[in-house]
Amino acid sequence: MGSRRLNVVSYLGSQPLFKDMSAPELARIAAASTVRRLSRGEELFHAGQSCEGLYLVIDGLIKLFAKVPSGHEKVMEVIGAGGCVSESLMFSDGAHSVNASVLFDVQLLVVPKDVLVHEIEHNAGLAMRMLTGLSRRMNGLVKDIEAVTLHSGVKRVVDYLLHSPVVGEAHNTEQDVTVSLPASKGTIASLLSVTPEHFSRILHDLQANGLISVERRHIHILDAQRLASYA
């Protein structure tokens, strides 16, 4: 993470959620907000904990996950720079239903809940943008449920490689793409509801069929069209 001091007002104004807000409004939110830095492995919040506010991810990576007493985890979502966490709780008094921890050192802007709720009550545009974001996330979760229910593990992995917005592209031509997994293979496997062993086998089979080549977290897609057809 960079050590340069964050201009909170400028940062808020650059985020889609707060676009078109006046300078005094942004300054009011900024004055109440805090910048927080957490290291890899640290917990942001746990299931059942009261929500303190909206977390805007400036840089780094956060995972949202469910956990059973045995210690087994199911990763629900991986959120990187530009994303936000806990926006649904701005409209309710509920506690967090999942856990959140840091995958890669993260810098967050924390906007207190009471401050944001006050702004929502007086700014219809902000309320609509938050609802739009919630709708988009809900639709994404519905698609995830559909994929787990109706699609094979192979298709889920292939679709993730081809379409996931989390994957960063190093090279991109019509037939030639190199993607970089944003987290460990175990984390991505949990996100896609396959075991780490199954995930590794799928990657091995795709590589054996000449569709991809794998170098640690970097996956070179040799032919995107053939890969899509394979799934």
Side-chain angles (χ1 to χ4, degrees):
M1 289 181 289
S3 59
R4 186 175 61 182
R5 185 176 179 83
L6 179 73
N7 183 321
V8 178
V9 173
S10 177
Y11 175 77
L12 286 171
S14 71
Q15 300 306 296
L17 182 60
F18 299 100
K19 69 177 183 179
D20 300 328
M21 293 187 74
S22 68
E25 289 172 326
L26 293 174
R28 187 165 60 240
I29 297 173
S33 302
T34 56
V35 176
R36 185 177 302 173
R37 293 173 175 83
L38 297 173
S39 300
R40 180 176 179 176
E42 286 193 79
E43 180 183 84
L44 178 59
F45 55 76
H46 58 79
Q49 181 177 331
S50 297
C51 176
E52 65 172 327
L54 182 71
Y55 303 96
L56 301 173
V57 183
I58 300 166
D59 52 46
L61 210 60
I62 294 284
K63 72 170 178 178
L64 303 183
F65 64 99
K67 191 172 184 179
V68 297
S70 66
H72 179 72
E73 295 181 2
K74 169 63 179 86
V75 177
M76 313 299 292
E77 195 171 0
V78 174
I79 302 172
C84 58
V85 182
S86 73
E87 64 266 51
S88 64
L89 294 179
M90 300 302 103
F91 296 95
S92 76
D93 295 325
H96 291 290
S97 58
V98 295
N99 308 279
S101 66
V102 178
L103 285 173
F104 292 106
D105 292 358
V106 71
Q107 183 176 198
L108 303 161
L109 183 66
V110 185
V111 182
K113 181 176 180 177
D114 59 342
V115 171
L116 193 55
V117 168
H118 174 80
E119 297 298 333
I120 290 171
E121 289 173 344
H122 295 84
N123 189 319
L126 174 60
M128 285 303 299
R129 288 192 293 275
M130 288 203 69
L131 289 172
T132 298
L134 285 172
S135 177
R136 187 181 303 114
R137 179 165 286 183
M138 184 184 72
N139 287 336
L141 292 173
V142 168
K143 289 181 179 179
D144 289 344
I145 293 171
E146 177 186 358
V148 171
T149 305
L150 302 177
H151 299 158
S152 69
V154 172
K155 180 166 176 56
R156 294 199 297 275
V157 170
V158 168
D159 284 348
Y160 179 83
L161 294 177
L162 292 174
H163 306 300
S164 173
V166 178
V167 174
E169 296 182 1
H171 306 286
N172 189 2
T173 65
E174 189 170 313
Q175 294 293 323
D176 188 304
V177 180
T178 298
V179 298
S180 179
L181 300 181
S184 70
K185 291 178 182 177
T187 297
I188 302 302
S190 181
L191 180 66
L192 299 176
S193 295
V194 296
T195 65
E197 295 78 13
H198 191 194
F199 185 63
S200 294
R201 285 198 301 272
I202 291 171
L203 293 181
H204 180 271
D205 290 345
L206 294 176
Q207 188 165 230
N209 280 279
L211 299 171
I212 65 172
S213 63
V214 181
E215 183 180 354
R216 300 174 70 85
R217 291 184 185 173
H218 301 293
I219 299 177
H220 184 60
I221 299 174
L222 305 176
D223 189 323
Q225 292 183 348
R226 281 185 60 218
L227 181 61
S229 299
Y230 182 86

